[in-house]
Amino acid sequence: MRALEERVEAPEDFGTPAIGIPAGSDMDLDLRLEAVHEGVLVSGTATARAVGECVRCLDPIAYDLTVDVQELYFADPDPATDEDGEPLPRVEHESVDLEPLLRDAFVIELPFQPVCSPDCQGLCPQCGVRLEDHPGHRHETRDPRWDALQSLATDPGQTDQRKSN
Ligand SMILES: [Zn+2]
Ligand SMILES: [Zn+2]
């Protein structure tokens, strides 16, 4: 068994446009590589900082994310395939490619719709202020149909004129 405790730079494409592990940021690996009958079993954890923005209010989000990983890399040079016909991970040139394993592990743990807090109310659709920062924020109704009703109610003279036209 070999322990792999290492800080590496995060590769590209760990996440979505909304949230992900920025390329080049620190990723801490704490892995065990064990020789088993079929090949090499890799297991352990990886930790990195997820950075993104709230899909409702666009506030920045950042938090440390630790994921569990486990994968068997086959020593057999004939590429075995999974049920979808995709080649299973293999030991190649006496090394294993950790990137697909880590990418899958992080991407599955990242929220599809990241929010700064579960009850974030987002932005005011009319003026764009962040509603969490302005409790009770509202606008007077600006529907022009209401203005017309208002003038009927407050200006009976004009209403009479319109009727006579
Ligand atoms: Zn938010
Ligand atoms: Zn507003």
Side-chain angles (χ1 to χ4, degrees):
M1 193 199 90
R2 191 156 79 83
L4 178 69
E5 276 179 51
E6 215 172 297
R7 171 166 287 182
V8 298
E9 283 192 3
E12 305 272 343
D13 296 328
F14 269 45
T16 67
I19 192 161
I21 315 299
S25 64
D26 289 342
M27 182 173 286
D28 289 310
L29 306 181
D30 185 0
L31 303 176
R32 290 175 303 280
L33 283 69
E34 288 171 75
V36 295
H37 178 67
E38 299 91 337
V40 175
L41 179 67
V42 176
S43 60
T45 61
T47 303
R49 194 155 183 80
V51 176
E53 63 183 26
C54 174
V55 293
R56 295 184 199 155
C57 73
L58 309 180
D59 253 27
I61 302 173
Y63 61 95
D64 289 331
L65 179 60
T66 297
V67 296
D68 293 316
V69 297
Q70 184 166 17
E71 186 75 271
L72 177 59
Y73 291 76
F74 288 88
D76 188 342
D78 287 328
T81 56
D82 64 14
E83 59 267 31
D84 298 325
E86 295 290 321
L88 291 169
R90 283 160 51 217
V91 181
E92 286 178 85
H93 310 296
E94 295 183 4
S95 70
V96 295
D97 183 5
L98 296 172
E99 193 176 316
L101 170 64
L102 293 169
R103 177 179 287 111
D104 287 354
F106 276 105
V107 168
I108 209 163
E109 291 293 332
L110 290 166
F112 185 61
Q113 300 252 299
V115 288
C116 61
S117 78
D119 47 5
C120 173
Q121 296 164 54
L123 303 176
C124 170
Q126 280 175 269
C127 69
V129 302
R130 190 169 174 265
L131 293 174
E132 293 252 287
D133 302 334
H134 298 80
H137 173 85
R138 61 188 288 276
H139 293 263
E140 297 307 319
T141 307
R142 296 301 306 164
D143 188 325
R145 284 171 295 179
W146 289 107
D147 289 349
L149 288 175
Q150 197 102 22
S151 71
L152 286 177
T154 56
D155 194 353
Q158 205 184 353
T159 312
D160 288 342
Q161 250 180 13
R162 275 188 205 151
K163 267 183 193 163
S164 62
N165 285 346

